[in-house]
Amino acid sequence: MADIIDEDEGWPEVHNLRLRNWVIRKLQTVIDFERDADDPARETDKDLFRRVLTEGPEPSLEFLGELIELDEGYYSPGPTRAVMSSQSSPVLVSGLPTRSFTDDFTIEIRGTSRHFVDTSQSSIEAAGIATQSIESYVDIEDTQSFDLDWLESFFDGQFDETVQPEHHWNGFDRSASYGLQWSDEEQDVRTFGMFYALFQDFGENRGTRYWLRRKPVEENPTSEFAEVPRRMLKYVCLILDDLGGNTREVIFEQTDEGLIVKADFQPPRPVFRWMAASGGLYDPVGGYLRWILTPDDKAATKQLFDKLPVTITDNT
């Protein structure tokens, strides 16, 4: 992106069509971006550009923070920073190409991410590169633990007295490795003096919304509702799993492949982001989501899972 942005532009940005044409010119000799009309059976990947840029199941440049999606199809390079942890190599996050840093540092490519090798935080900062904690990078630095106290505080902040339940709502059942399970029956979870339940609302002419219900443990209770934004949904689900006796599990194992991290649920977005930034290889198998990491990434990864209401089994 840096190669096609004019240096004298006030705010660096480029339209995705211009960026796509530049990428195709650079890579068309090794990647087929369009279907070959003369040979329909030939394997092609015309959606590769969009998947790498910002859409798709694999970690994208936007997901990692290396570019910023703007309005009307425009993108801007992400700010340069080094994501620091106590043991693993610092992660380079930047909209600039790798060559911009190789005069001063050794940069290693791991999957879709880049890492500083054999350097220190002081050296990085001396080069004018900002540093950032993992919690700040994944945007959960203000939360110590996702637990019942967090759930109660979240509900109080999202409470909406105007909400009335609808008959078509689905009730949350449990988290699973392939997604969230819902049913046509509500599933109350009892806490100290309160019942909580989560619902899925497929409204007409709009996207799915999620509602958390709270009601006291008493006869003829009055129900209260709070909307759950999608970015908070998995935290709420994991807390309800734990309170309902369905606590999910994360397993750490050491094998010849490397450090294996397995989960029987889909972690929230911040965990996925760190897995991608650390260079983890996503390799689901046997009913588990599974990543292969380097042993140096264990402490930082475990630290993130420690914030979640899950059981951590360390078999290393």
Side-chain angles (χ1 to χ4, degrees):
M1 180 179 288
D3 290 341
I4 57 175
I5 294 179
D6 296 331
E7 292 184 359
D8 57 352
E9 290 185 7
W11 177 262
E13 62 181 34
V14 62
H15 196 273
N16 70 78
L17 293 180
R18 183 183 176 194
L19 182 60
R20 187 178 191 276
N21 290 335
W22 181 86
V23 171
I24 290 176
R25 287 199 305 271
K26 292 289 185 179
L27 301 180
Q28 62 184 348
T29 59
V30 293
I31 297 178
D32 291 313
F33 286 91
E34 303 293 344
R35 185 165 300 281
D36 189 339
D38 296 329
D39 185 5
R42 184 179 181 185
E43 292 186 4
T44 62
D45 193 352
K46 62 181 180 179
D47 295 325
L48 176 62
F49 173 80
R50 294 295 303 177
R51 290 194 290 108
V52 172
L53 190 69
T54 188
E55 299 175 358
E58 298 87 1
S60 67
L61 297 179
E62 185 272 334
F63 183 67
L64 290 171
E66 306 221 314
L67 60 78
I68 301 171
E69 186 173 13
L70 306 175
D71 294 334
E72 300 180 355
Y74 283 88
Y75 291 86
S76 180
T80 297
R81 68 267 203 203
V83 181
M84 310 297 299
S85 67
S86 59
Q87 297 182 14
S88 57
S89 301
V91 179
L92 170 62
V93 180
S94 175
L96 298 177
T98 302
R99 67 174 183 271
S100 300
F101 306 95
T102 52
D103 286 345
D104 300 313
F105 301 99
T106 300
I107 306 297
E108 180 180 84
I109 308 297
R110 299 182 188 173
T112 55
S113 67
R114 299 175 287 179
H115 291 245
F116 293 94
V117 177
D118 297 329
T119 191
S120 64
Q121 180 170 343
S122 59
S123 297
I124 292 173
E125 292 174 341
I129 299 174
T131 57
Q132 186 176 26
S133 69
I134 295 174
E135 289 80 3
S136 173
Y137 171 65
V138 300
D139 197 24
I140 56 172
E141 61 182 333
D142 295 329
T143 303
Q144 295 299 316
S145 180
F146 292 94
D147 52 18
L148 179 57
D149 289 339
W150 179 90
L151 185 70
E152 292 173 341
S153 177
F154 167 81
F155 190 99
D156 291 339
Q158 295 288 117
F159 171 61
D160 186 345
E161 62 182 6
T162 66
V163 177
Q164 295 295 323
E166 302 287 346
H167 68 277
H168 61 268
W169 286 7
N170 291 324
F172 172 69
D173 184 17
R174 63 176 57 199
S175 302
S177 58
Y178 53 84
L180 304 176
Q181 295 183 355
W182 304 86
S183 71
D184 56 4
E185 297 181 0
E186 60 186 60
Q187 305 285 338
D188 274 317
V189 173
R190 182 169 181 170
T191 65
F192 300 104
M194 287 288 179
F195 285 113
Y196 281 95
L198 180 65
F199 298 92
Q200 183 185 55
D201 174 16
F202 290 103
E204 295 183 0
N205 301 319
R206 56 176 171 78
T208 305
R209 301 175 74 179
Y210 301 93
W211 301 99
L212 183 63
R213 184 184 68 191
R214 181 175 68 184
K215 62 182 181 180
V217 181
E218 60 184 34
E219 292 187 11
N220 302 316
T222 299
S223 296
E224 300 175 328
F225 291 88
E227 185 166 8
V228 180
R230 184 176 291 273
R231 63 187 177 86
M232 295 296 181
L233 180 62
K234 289 182 179 178
Y235 298 116
V236 172
C237 290
L238 288 173
I239 294 171
L240 295 181
D241 283 331
D242 185 47
L243 294 173
N246 184 40
T247 306
R248 312 315 293 165
E249 184 180 24
V250 179
I251 301 173
F252 287 78
E253 299 175 340
Q254 188 64 51
T255 71
D256 293 338
E257 296 176 279
L259 176 68
I260 305 298
V261 181
K262 300 192 301 185
D264 61 357
F265 63 96
Q266 289 189 350
R269 177 184 172 91
V271 176
F272 271 111
R273 192 182 200 197
W274 167 246
M275 292 295 198
S278 67
L281 173 64
Y282 181 55
D283 184 32
V285 64
Y288 282 90
L289 300 187
R290 181 175 180 265
W291 293 266
I292 304 174
L293 309 177
T294 65
D296 289 345
D297 294 318
K298 177 182 176 181
T301 304
K302 194 172 182 180
Q303 182 177 333
L304 288 182
F305 279 114
D306 277 336
K307 290 179 176 285
L308 304 179
V310 300
T311 298
I312 297 178
T313 302
D314 190 344
N315 293 331
T316 59

